[in-house]
Amino acid sequence: MDIGTRIAQLREQRGWTQEQTSHLLGISRAALSHYEKNRREPDTETLTKFADLFKVSIDYLVGRTNRQEVVLDSDVRDFVQDADRVELSEDDILEKFALSLDGMKLSAEEAKRFIAFIRAERSLR
């Protein structure tokens, strides 16, 4: 199944018009119509908007899988979405995610020493 057909089906399953959907996506109704009829393919940013709006994976939209649900668990999804703001010194980050160096997992103590080293180095600047 192609991208346009999937987009149209997802929209119709929700009972949304093209006008409503295009407004939610921040695109024109004409652009949405072109996507649904496969006259144009959405760029990466627009694919991401579709996936977020319909709560499906991009892999589903492009036909790589028939599973609509996003397969990342919630902790990983939160981490990926907030990757520009991760605070490594938070204990829950150290507990949820295994940090590694040269292919070897850092122990909690090693991770804390690493963080302390960076802080000390920064204070000398």
Side-chain angles (χ1 to χ4, degrees):
M1 186 181 311
D2 53 59
I3 295 171
T5 302
R6 289 189 186 230
I7 290 170
Q9 282 183 346
L10 289 165
R11 177 181 60 76
E12 291 166 359
Q13 286 171 0
R14 286 155 180 78
W16 297 344
T17 65
Q18 283 187 337
E19 190 68 38
Q20 291 169 315
T21 306
S22 62
H23 178 75
L24 292 168
L25 292 164
I27 62 174
S28 70
R29 192 211 50 79
L32 177 59
S33 176
H34 286 301
Y35 296 142
E36 288 186 0
K37 294 183 186 315
N38 293 299
R39 291 184 195 131
R40 287 180 26 195
E41 285 196 11
D43 60 19
T44 305
E45 181 181 339
T46 306
L47 269 177
T48 301
K49 288 179 181 180
F50 278 116
D52 289 345
L53 178 64
F54 294 130
K55 295 183 179 17
V56 298
S57 70
I58 291 175
D59 281 346
Y60 174 76
L61 289 174
V62 299
R64 289 184 57 182
T65 182
N66 287 323
R67 292 181 60 188
Q68 288 188 12
E69 65 275 357
V70 178
V71 294
L72 294 176
D73 74 21
S74 60
D75 288 338
V76 173
R77 186 170 175 82
D78 291 344
F79 182 82
V80 171
Q81 287 179 337
D82 297 333
D84 61 334
R85 299 175 290 187
V86 173
E87 177 58 48
L88 289 178
S89 64
E90 292 179 5
D91 287 335
D92 63 326
I93 292 294
L94 296 176
E95 290 172 16
K96 288 180 185 177
F97 301 100
L99 303 177
S100 64
L101 180 65
D102 299 329
M104 294 176 56
K105 182 180 174 189
L106 295 177
S107 69
E109 185 57 39
E110 288 173 321
K112 289 177 183 177
R113 287 198 324 259
F114 176 74
I115 292 166
F117 172 79
I118 296 297
R119 285 182 176 148
E121 184 181 60
R122 286 180 177 174
S123 70
L124 296 175
R125 293 183 195 166

